[in-house]
Amino acid sequence: MRIERMKTPRMERAADTGGASGYREPEGADAIPYFGLTMKRSHLLHIPSAELLEGYSIRPFVSGDEAHWARIECLSGEFKTEEEALRHFRKEFGEHIAEMESRCLFVVDQDGLPVGTTTAWYGTFDGRPIGRIHWVAVIPDHQGRKLAKPLFTEALRTLALFHEEAYLTTQTTSYKAVGMYLNYGFAPVHQKPECREGWAWIERLLGRSVETERMNDQ
């Protein structure tokens, strides 16, 4: 839920075809080596609260919002064009519109225009289906307004209606987003040997230690 790729001073939304971020990096972010990371929350209890800035609100996806989803994901850097984003939406979610109406969320501004989105989706983790935070994005003009946390909170609350645990994918270049995920109770997971180096980078970038759970380590 290809969740995340960050290459340039622009920090694209964290999504490996479904990751999470909504942050942009300062100049020099391309110097940070890319390592794909996975994080997991073992339960969906005690979800932190976060208040939206006045003038914004969160609403669910309704049929026809495909264009808004494509615009947000394109502006956030995940796709080169809105047409490409819309094609991907139709491929991944076209047959699941009813589920999107109960799982996909938008942050909207004072004019009712969607400016951010994420999906409380699902996937397979360690051989079993669990919840997944998928396709998180806030358009650049509205970043820095503390929209990511309230959106993340609502996504986790939505996931809690369907699942008992959740995971997400991210990357080292999304280290600010990783800090938020850690604060929300997501723990690092080792799935590949190179994860150790990736998490070592996160510790240096955030200036904090993290605990990792070794899974499928080879």
Side-chain angles (χ1 to χ4, degrees):
M1 241 195 162
R2 284 183 355 168
I3 216 202
E4 306 189 77
R5 59 177 190 273
M6 308 294 167
K7 307 171 184 172
T8 66
R10 176 184 66 189
M11 183 164 193
E12 302 174 2
R13 59 168 271 302
D16 74 321
T17 59
S21 102
Y23 291 94
R24 284 178 177 266
E25 286 302 309
E27 293 294 323
D30 53 341
I32 301 171
Y34 173 93
F35 290 94
L37 305 172
T38 299
M39 304 181 73
K40 180 174 174 288
R41 202 177 197 270
S42 60
H43 63 80
L44 290 169
L45 304 172
H46 314 302
I47 297 168
S49 297
E51 297 296 324
L52 270 174
L53 187 68
E54 185 176 356
Y56 291 92
S57 60
I58 295 176
R59 69 162 176 82
F61 177 100
V62 296
S63 181
D65 277 336
E66 296 89 332
H68 289 306
W69 187 94
R71 174 179 52 82
I72 292 168
E73 297 296 344
C74 179
L75 289 174
S76 298
E78 184 58 28
F79 299 95
K80 293 181 179 179
T81 66
E82 291 185 28
E83 291 75 16
E84 180 186 353
L86 191 55
R87 285 196 299 271
H88 182 92
F89 179 95
R90 289 168 176 162
K91 179 179 178 180
E92 184 171 7
F93 302 116
E95 297 181 358
H96 307 284
I97 296 300
E99 288 182 277
M100 288 293 280
E101 290 178 347
S102 60
R103 289 177 175 267
C104 182
L105 302 170
F106 287 106
V107 175
V108 301
D109 65 13
Q110 58 270 24
D111 297 318
L113 180 67
V115 297
T117 185
T118 191
T119 301
W121 206 235
Y122 48 84
T124 300
F125 186 92
D126 196 27
R128 67 187 189 281
I130 67 173
R132 181 179 187 179
I133 297 293
H134 200 26
W135 291 108
V136 183
V138 175
I139 66 173
D141 287 349
H142 291 262
Q143 291 177 14
R145 302 183 187 184
K146 300 181 179 180
L147 303 181
K149 287 183 179 180
L151 183 60
F152 200 64
T153 289
E154 288 305 311
L156 290 177
R157 288 173 177 170
T158 300
L159 276 181
L161 300 176
F162 305 98
H163 308 280
E164 295 182 353
E165 53 188 341
Y167 79 103
L168 58 83
T169 56
T170 185
Q171 69 266 336
T172 43
T173 45
S174 297
Y175 67 92
K176 292 182 180 180
V178 171
M180 182 182 77
Y181 305 149
L182 289 168
N183 293 340
Y184 267 76
F186 278 82
V189 174
H190 278 173
Q191 292 185 308
K192 298 179 180 179
E194 55 266 30
C195 289
R196 290 190 181 88
E197 187 174 355
W199 285 108
W201 268 95
I202 291 296
E203 290 184 332
R204 290 194 291 270
L205 290 164
L206 294 179
R208 61 188 284 189
S209 62
V210 297
E211 296 181 2
T212 58
E213 175 186 356
R214 190 179 301 179
M215 295 187 64
N216 302 323
D217 214 353
Q218 303 176 27

